[in-house]
């Protein structure tokens, strides 16, 4: 099978909607010119891993050629960059999907001796069956739906599996860049205005300009003859690699997989391993990954995202000090050089994993105007953020929840806080309130940075009161009530709501209290 360096394996879509086919060097050239709007075959959960892969191979390839910047829109120059990482394979085997088993193939380590006897006999016929997602009874995302896979379908699935998979039972170990086998690899970065190519080239330039020391990988990586692409190294499933033999930006390859020709199509075969590919369990994912936040609350470990995803509360914890947990932002989520002078976006992504399951792919993109770029890491911005969070919590606990309970309990003289049925119904509305706060939180935070303390508090109070009023109005329409006490329950719940709102938002004036925001 022809090499990804020469085969037009990737379908890309341009800014005006035109589709065209590209080889891997041509894809890099198009990204460098920011001519790629999308890769249609790239599934959402695969996109962060593909971005990281492109940046890693580009940066290491440029370094191997002693380049201090990435090539422009010249595919031939990009082919040289990629081949600089695989010089010992003049036939480009590491860039082919199918090769002899004793040679590397793309994201597939060579099998010592060339035999596939210990690989599963059952063929995996679709890339999505090879990929890392766990589906249950075809709910949410259908399994094995790519019935006519193209080359790029297999490429994206292999990158996803080999660089962000976790542990899936005995013999199926995960990548080193996460905190434990049932954790997840997180990606947090700043990205400039433009398409996906602008983000790739920004990250490559940042890594090349500063060198490994800037993103502070542990001092255990190789300084000479470092291994870069782990899929080029033979693996029998019994030997581990030590970090002191690897480049800090090494591309992982956590599973033993080989693609084979099955008639007129490609299929995959898998084999287990006796241990993980890299010996790094004790580091808990702290490997200097330039996209991975570090949780420093109780000893350093890579961030593990829960089913909560990147809520506004979690993002504030990541961006600012002062919460119950302490995080260190990764290198590529910090402004580089003159970036504080222009607006950017903060992108956060992770696939939440568990024991034999996934709990959702979480991705968030936050607009970062110039005042936000300058506020990253500042104590004043942190105080504003936590004050906004505190005010939102007060509105729920002091105004909305008591009023909803009074409504559900048909307007008693005093709310029964211990009543479990109405408590459960009331708390179900908290998600509605939190989602509405989430939609406006960061826009309000960045705007507040240009206001004094009192003006910022009033502006946020008006915003919160409008959200609370909207949610309370929806509850009144939807909540079950006894008809004979309807007027009483609505009156008492309204009184509780208004009184609670004044307690929660002391800066709110009487006129502003009735504003719907």
């Amino acid at each position: 099978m022809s090499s990804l360096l020469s085969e037009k394996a990737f379908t890309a879509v341009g800014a005006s909607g035109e589709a065209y086919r590209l080889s891997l060097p041509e894809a890099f050239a198009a990204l460098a010119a920011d001519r790629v709007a999308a890769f249609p075959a790239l599934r959402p959960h695969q996109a962060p891993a593909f971005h990281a892969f492109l940046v890693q191979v580009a940066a290491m390839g440029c370094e191997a050629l002693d380049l201090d910047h990435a090539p422009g829109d010249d595919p031939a120059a990009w082919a040289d960059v990629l081949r600089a990482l695989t010089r010992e394979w003049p036939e480009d085997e590491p860039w082919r999907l199918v090769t002899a088993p004793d040679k590397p193939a793309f994201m597939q380590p060579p099998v010592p001796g060339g035999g596939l006897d210990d690989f599963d006999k059952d063929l995996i016929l679709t890339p999505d069956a090879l990929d890392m997602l766990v589906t249950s009874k075809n709910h949410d995302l259908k399994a094995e739906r790519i019935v006519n896979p193209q080359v790029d379908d297999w490429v994206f699935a292999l990158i996803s599996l080999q660089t962000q998979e976790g542990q899936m039972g005995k013999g199926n170990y995960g990548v080193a860049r996460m905190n434990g086998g049932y954790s997840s690899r997180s990606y947090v970065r700043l990205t400039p205005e433009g398409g996906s190519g602008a983000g790739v080239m920004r990250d490559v330039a940042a890594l090349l300009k500063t060198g490994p020391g800037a993103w502070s990988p542990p001092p255990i990586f190789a300084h000479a003859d470092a291994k870069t692409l782990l899929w080029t190294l033979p693996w029998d499933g019994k030997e581990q690699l030590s970090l002191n033999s690897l480049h800090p930006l090494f591309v992982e390859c956590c599973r033993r997989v080989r693609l084979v020709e099955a008639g007129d199509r490609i299929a995959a075969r898998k084999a287990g391993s006796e241990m993980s590919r890299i010996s790094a369990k004790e580091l808990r994912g702290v490997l200097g990954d330039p996209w991975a936040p570090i949780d420093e609350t109780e000893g350093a470990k890579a961030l593990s995202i829960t089913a909560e995803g990147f809520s506004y509360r979690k993002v504030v914890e990541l961006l600012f000090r002062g919460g119950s947990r302490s995080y260190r932002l990764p290198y590529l989520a910090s402004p580089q050089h003159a970036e504080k002078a222009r607006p950017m976006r903060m992108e956060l992504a992770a696939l939440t994993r568990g024991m034999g399951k996934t709990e959702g792919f979480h991705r968030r993109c936050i607009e970062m105007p110039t005042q936000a770029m300058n506020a990253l890491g500042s104590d004043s911005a942190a105080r504003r953020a936590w004050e906004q969070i505190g005010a939102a919590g007060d509105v729920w606990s002091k105004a909305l929840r008591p009023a909803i309970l009074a409504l559900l309990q048909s307007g008693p003289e005093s709310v029964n806080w211990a009543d479990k049925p109405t408590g459960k119904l009331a708390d179900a509305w908290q998600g509605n309130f939190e989602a509405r706060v989430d939609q406006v939180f960061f826009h309000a935070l960045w705007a507040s940075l240009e206001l004094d303390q009192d003006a910022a508090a009033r502006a946020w109070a008006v915003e919160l009161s409008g959200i609370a009023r909207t949610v309370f109005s929806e509850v009144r329409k939807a909540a079950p009530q006894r008809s004979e006490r309807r007027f009483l329950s609505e009156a008492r719940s309204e009184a509780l709501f208004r009184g609670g709102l004044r307690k929660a938002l002391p800066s709110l004036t009487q006129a502003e209290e009735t504003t719907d925001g």
Side-chain angles (χ1 to χ4, degrees):
M1 180 163 288
S2 58
S3 167
L4 298 177
L5 304 189
S6 56
E7 181 180 1
K8 294 185 180 296
F10 299 89
T11 297
V13 174
S16 59
E18 74 281 7
Y20 45 96
R21 302 286 293 178
L22 300 168
S23 66
L24 186 55
E26 289 170 340
F28 269 110
L31 288 166
D34 207 14
R35 294 196 304 264
V36 177
F39 292 99
L42 187 64
R43 307 172 88 188
H45 75 279
Q46 298 170 337
F50 185 54
H51 171 92
F53 169 85
L54 292 173
V55 173
Q56 288 167 261
V57 297
M60 290 189 296
C62 289
E63 181 185 287
L65 294 177
D66 292 324
L67 300 177
D68 60 3
H69 63 278
D73 59 356
D74 180 5
W78 279 107
D80 290 341
V81 166
L82 298 175
R83 287 193 173 103
L85 299 174
T86 56
R87 290 189 178 107
E88 65 271 37
W89 303 100
E91 300 301 317
D92 290 338
E93 289 93 341
W95 303 106
R96 301 176 188 274
L97 281 190
V98 179
T99 65
D102 62 343
K103 296 182 179 181
F106 182 74
M107 301 302 290
Q108 306 159 63
V111 180
L116 298 180
D117 293 343
D118 59 340
F119 281 66
D120 293 342
K121 299 296 187 291
D122 294 334
L123 297 178
I124 299 171
L125 299 177
T126 65
D128 50 334
L130 177 67
D131 198 359
M132 63 180 293
L133 286 182
V134 179
T135 55
S136 174
K137 298 181 180 179
N138 275 344
H139 293 165
D140 190 31
L141 186 68
K142 304 301 182 185
E144 300 185 46
R145 61 194 296 266
I146 306 176
V147 295
N148 186 28
Q150 303 301 306
V151 171
D152 50 356
D153 292 312
W154 286 106
V155 169
F156 297 144
L158 282 165
I159 293 173
S160 177
L161 172 76
Q162 299 286 37
T163 66
Q164 62 178 0
E165 178 62 296
Q167 185 167 345
M168 288 292 292
K170 184 179 180 181
N172 296 307
Y173 295 94
V175 299
R177 288 187 175 102
M178 64 172 62
N179 172 32
Y182 302 113
S183 183
S184 58
R185 186 181 179 189
S186 298
Y187 307 84
V188 179
R189 63 188 176 97
L190 283 169
T191 186
E193 294 179 341
S196 57
V200 170
M201 292 303 126
R202 179 262 180 185
D203 285 2
V204 173
L207 293 174
L208 287 178
K209 195 171 185 73
T210 55
W215 67 89
S216 301
I220 51 179
F221 289 101
H223 297 285
D225 300 322
K227 297 176 176 63
T228 55
L229 310 181
L230 302 197
W231 78 81
T232 63
L233 308 176
W235 188 21
D236 60 3
K238 301 176 182 178
E239 296 182 358
Q240 288 186 308
L241 296 170
S242 62
L243 289 171
N244 61 14
S245 68
L246 307 182
H247 189 286
L249 290 174
F250 67 94
V251 177
E252 294 202 53
C253 192
C254 68
R255 297 290 177 85
R256 299 178 68 208
V257 177
R258 294 297 303 195
L259 299 190
V260 297
E261 293 179 348
D264 59 351
R265 63 185 301 167
I266 295 174
R269 294 179 64 181
K270 296 194 299 184
S273 61
E274 294 183 7
M275 57 191 66
S276 60
R277 185 60 172 125
I278 299 170
S279 176
K281 182 178 180 180
E282 69 282 357
L283 293 178
R284 301 198 293 179
V286 184
L287 303 183
D289 185 346
W291 294 279
I294 302 302
D295 185 343
E296 299 179 319
T297 308
E298 299 171 352
K301 59 184 178 182
L303 170 69
S304 293
I305 284 296
T306 66
E308 170 197 9
F310 294 103
S311 68
Y312 71 92
R313 296 173 184 270
K314 175 56 68 177
V315 174
V316 167
E317 278 191 330
L318 291 173
L319 298 186
F320 301 107
R321 300 282 181 174
S324 60
R325 305 198 70 82
S326 176
Y327 294 97
R328 183 172 77 242
L329 277 178
Y331 174 64
L332 292 174
S334 301
Q336 306 291 318
H337 314 299
E339 288 180 345
K340 285 191 174 184
R342 63 176 186 266
M344 299 187 75
R345 298 185 303 273
M346 183 72 74
E347 294 196 2
L348 310 97
L351 181 72
T352 301
R353 304 185 68 261
M355 296 184 64
K357 63 180 179 180
T358 57
E359 294 181 333
F361 172 65
H362 303 280
R363 179 181 179 274
R364 182 164 193 167
C365 184
I366 299 171
E367 296 298 327
M368 302 285 291
T370 52
Q371 66 266 35
M373 294 295 294
N374 283 286
L376 282 176
S378 76
D379 291 338
S380 58
R383 283 193 298 272
R384 289 280 173 89
W386 290 112
E387 285 167 0
Q388 286 194 183
I389 287 177
D394 286 346
V395 166
W396 170 255
S397 63
K398 296 179 180 180
L400 267 175
R401 192 172 191 274
I404 294 172
L405 285 173
L407 197 67
L408 295 172
Q409 294 172 13
S410 300
E413 290 187 11
S414 60
V415 169
N416 181 0
W417 301 100
D419 186 64
K420 291 184 178 180
T422 55
K424 187 175 181 180
L425 285 173
D427 290 343
W429 284 93
Q430 186 174 9
N432 184 301
F433 172 71
E434 288 287 311
R436 291 175 184 272
V437 173
D438 203 310
Q439 290 175 353
V440 301
F441 185 89
F442 288 102
H443 177 77
L445 177 61
W446 308 143
S448 80
L449 299 178
E450 299 181 336
L451 303 173
D452 63 37
Q453 181 71 24
D454 291 341
R458 284 195 301 271
W460 184 233
V462 170
E463 190 81 63
L464 283 177
S465 69
I467 293 171
R469 173 62 63 186
T470 299
V471 172
F472 187 50
S473 176
E474 292 175 354
V475 175
R476 290 174 65 171
K477 293 176 182 177
Q481 299 180 58
R482 289 160 52 186
S483 58
E484 68 274 13
R485 291 181 61 88
R486 183 178 185 89
F487 293 111
L488 180 62
S489 63
E490 289 190 354
R492 287 182 172 172
S493 63
E494 177 73 23
L496 274 174
F497 175 76
R498 287 183 176 276
L501 208 58
R502 284 191 291 271
K503 292 178 183 177
L505 304 172
S507 61
L508 198 66
T509 67
Q510 187 172 3
E512 290 168 332
E513 183 183 328
T514 58
T515 301
D516 285 343

